[in-house]
Amino acid sequence: MKAALVGTDGTLLHEARRATGRERGADAVVETILAFAADLRAHGEEHLGESAVAAGVAVPGIVDAEKGIAVYAANLGWRDVPLRALLETRLGVPVALGHDVRTGGLAEGRIGAGRGADRFLFVPLGTGIAGAIGIAGAIEAGAHGYAGEIGHIVVRPDGPDCGCGQRGCLETLASAAAVTRAWAAASGDPGADAADCAKAVESGDPAAVRVWQDAIDALAAGLVTALTLLDPGTLIIGGGLAEAGETLFTPLRAAVEERITFQKLPHIVPAALGDTAGCLGAGLLAWDLLSTEVSA
């Protein structure tokens, strides 16, 4: 878990990390979150001279932000946790709950790589592939909270089985996890990962180039579908694969440009905030909550 005290202008005033401890079970994870938040509030009181005035928390899985409920997270083993209410009781301040990717996207859009962009799409390439749709300074969650799930666009109908039940989803072909699997198989090294593949691409290894280009082709196909539907001005790519820098971005920009016909090519840029995006985004959610209360 990553946590921070965040100022009104998005400045990180204090950062902390703590093990989630998911092996102890869902209830223990929830208690760890509550204790971590309380410790953070106490740190502000002791070292900054004032308590936090609101809190934001970003969690993975299915989130009902309006009701403040963490509906389901496979990795954490929880279902229907009233996290907002629990935190408000523990902290005594208003709490905003958000989805981790959408919250990170909010930060990238407002104070990161998408700053000044009225319409943007944030796509982190990690274990899976998700997306956050930015519109006028806010993130579009969709009617049921599922908007932006670009990783489950089918780009190759005859492709690998996906955990969602479909075949050939984008994340089975172009996520960091997918590149890791493909490169481990192609290199014969079960310990090789996506970062190793990128290094091999840079050194001109033909097998690595094939694996890398295959992922980029799939990614470009999925992104063009997203561009066709959303027409963003800026496309922000983050996550583990983006750490490859221009080894990823140069061929990706070319592959997207090659595929578009009538669509407008957006600015394709790397994410700027790294793994602090979630903390900053949670802070922005908290400040937004206060702004809403004031205006109401």
Side-chain angles (χ1 to χ4, degrees):
M1 295 185 293
K2 296 182 286 289
L5 292 168
V6 182
T8 52
D9 59 354
T11 303
L12 283 174
L13 304 173
H14 170 70
E15 289 183 83
R17 294 176 187 242
R18 192 170 292 183
T20 307
R22 63 183 181 182
E23 69 281 352
R24 296 173 299 133
D27 290 344
V29 170
V30 172
E31 178 52 40
T32 300
I33 292 170
L34 300 179
F36 197 8
D39 289 348
L40 204 64
R41 181 192 59 187
H43 180 94
E45 291 171 341
E46 182 179 349
H47 296 281
L48 300 174
E50 59 182 316
S51 176
V53 291
V57 58
V59 297
I62 300 170
V63 178
D64 186 333
E66 192 172 321
K67 293 181 180 176
I69 295 172
V71 177
Y72 175 68
N75 289 338
L76 298 176
W78 67 33
R79 285 183 182 274
D80 298 321
V81 178
L83 200 53
R84 182 174 67 200
L86 292 170
L87 279 164
E88 286 180 340
T89 298
R90 181 71 64 97
L91 299 176
V93 299
V95 174
L97 179 68
H99 180 269
D100 58 350
V101 172
R102 289 197 287 270
T103 303
L106 178 68
E108 283 289 353
R110 275 204 212 161
I111 58 177
R115 186 195 293 261
D118 185 54
R119 299 285 192 279
F120 70 87
L121 177 63
F122 170 56
V123 181
L125 310 173
T127 304
I129 296 179
I133 303 164
I135 302 173
I139 301 297
E140 172 56 50
H144 308 96
Y146 294 176
E149 289 291 349
I150 185 177
H152 297 290
I153 289 176
V154 174
V155 292
R156 292 182 189 158
D158 58 347
D161 290 335
C162 181
C164 78
Q166 301 185 110
R167 291 188 65 188
C169 286
L170 180 59
E171 73 173 39
T172 68
L173 298 159
S175 62
V179 173
T180 291
R181 286 192 299 270
W183 179 234
S187 65
D189 178 1
D193 62 12
D196 297 323
C197 184
K199 289 173 189 168
V201 169
E202 289 159 13
S203 67
D205 184 310
V209 170
R210 281 194 297 274
V211 167
W212 197 252
Q213 193 59 50
D214 192 49
I216 284 173
D217 287 345
L219 182 56
L223 291 176
V224 168
T225 297
L227 302 184
T228 305
L229 290 171
L230 302 172
D231 187 28
T234 302
L235 176 56
I236 306 165
I237 307 293
L241 276 193
E243 292 174 11
E246 288 307 312
T247 302
L248 173 72
F249 283 92
T250 297
L252 179 60
R253 290 184 185 110
V256 170
E257 187 169 8
E258 182 182 294
R259 283 167 173 75
I260 61 172
T261 52
F262 65 90
Q263 304 92 337
K264 293 293 184 182
L265 188 67
H267 298 291
I268 302 176
V269 299
L273 303 176
D275 70 356
T276 64
C279 282
L280 288 166
L284 291 172
L285 286 179
W287 286 115
D288 283 357
L289 193 62
L290 292 175
S291 300
T292 303
E293 287 186 351
V294 169
S295 63

